[in-house]
Amino acid sequence: MLDRWELFIQILYESSFFQNLTMPKGENRMTACETLADNIKKKKIKLTDLHTHESFQMVWELLGQERIQKIFYRTEASRARFREAWEEADPQLFYHEYWKPVAELFRGYCPVKWCKITMCVKSVTGLPLSPPGSVSPVVAPSRDAALDLSVTLDLAPSGRVSAARGQSQGLRVAYTPPLQA
């Protein structure tokens, strides 16, 4: 299971969630991810509950608040561009296409099939994945060598999603599907 807010921040940063709100990768985007995570925690939303529609609605409302926007955008012009993109965005589309695939990685128990977790990881990282072998995991290297993000998928009986940092600054995500009875 992915169980750390730091991992959530990193994965959200790499996802297309903020990109689709006119925020390219950089300092502002990282600040937005950190600010959002801090405010989610203040709202007492658990990491394992981020996937719910109710949690997303709170997140969406947070992003619409000027006091939050002022933290990651100092100039009025930048805030206006973000606010316009936020107002014109379809919250349902953002929930299903950009938020939920990230948040699903942090559910306590993930009883989904291989194809669903593959789509989820692919939508977060943009990496093409192939089914895991019976012995060795599948490793998909990142398109961005500087970040060194890799995804490892593994078959095991636990049915849990787990993550660990490798020796590099990369992130490794392992999915182990539940045993079929």
Side-chain angles (χ1 to χ4, degrees):
M1 166 178 65
L2 295 178
D3 60 358
R4 294 191 343 237
W5 284 98
E6 296 80 15
L7 293 173
F8 169 74
I9 291 167
Q10 184 178 358
I11 292 173
L12 184 62
Y13 176 85
E14 289 299 323
S15 77
S16 57
F17 183 80
F18 279 108
Q19 183 71 37
N20 287 293
L21 288 171
T22 70
M23 188 181 290
K25 288 184 182 179
E27 185 179 335
N28 290 344
R29 187 158 159 178
M30 181 54 75
T31 302
C33 292
E34 292 167 346
T35 300
L36 190 57
D38 288 344
N39 281 277
I40 291 170
K41 289 187 271 187
K42 287 178 187 174
K43 293 274 187 188
K44 306 286 189 220
I45 299 172
K46 295 178 182 177
L47 194 56
T48 55
D49 294 333
L50 289 177
H51 69 282
T52 68
H53 196 266
E54 295 77 23
S55 294
F56 174 75
Q57 287 175 314
M58 291 179 139
V59 166
W60 196 252
E61 289 171 16
L62 283 169
L63 289 174
Q65 296 177 7
E66 187 175 2
R67 70 172 184 82
I68 298 292
Q69 294 170 8
K70 283 182 176 180
I71 296 170
F72 50 84
Y73 276 133
R74 291 180 181 92
T75 67
E76 179 55 41
S78 295
R79 285 194 305 275
R81 184 185 74 241
F82 179 86
R83 190 170 35 257
E84 183 179 344
W86 178 85
E87 288 171 353
E88 291 178 2
D90 176 0
Q92 295 309 312
L93 174 76
F94 265 78
Y95 171 67
H96 290 288
E97 296 293 322
Y98 309 119
W99 181 262
K100 194 172 179 185
V102 171
E104 284 285 340
L105 294 172
F106 295 87
R107 288 180 72 170
Y109 176 70
C110 193
V112 294
K113 296 187 187 238
W114 161 254
C115 60
K116 188 164 184 174
I117 199 72
T118 299
M119 291 186 303
C120 185
V121 172
K122 184 177 179 183
S123 69
V124 170
T125 64
L127 301 173
L129 302 173
S130 55
S134 58
V135 178
S136 63
V138 175
V139 178
S142 171
R143 295 170 297 178
D144 181 358
L147 177 64
D148 191 22
L149 176 72
S150 63
V151 177
T152 302
L153 299 162
D154 187 23
L155 272 175
S158 70
R160 300 225 176 246
V161 177
S162 61
R165 289 187 186 272
Q167 291 180 338
S168 68
Q169 294 289 40
L171 169 71
R172 186 175 59 203
V173 179
Y175 169 69
T176 53
L179 287 177
Q180 298 296 326

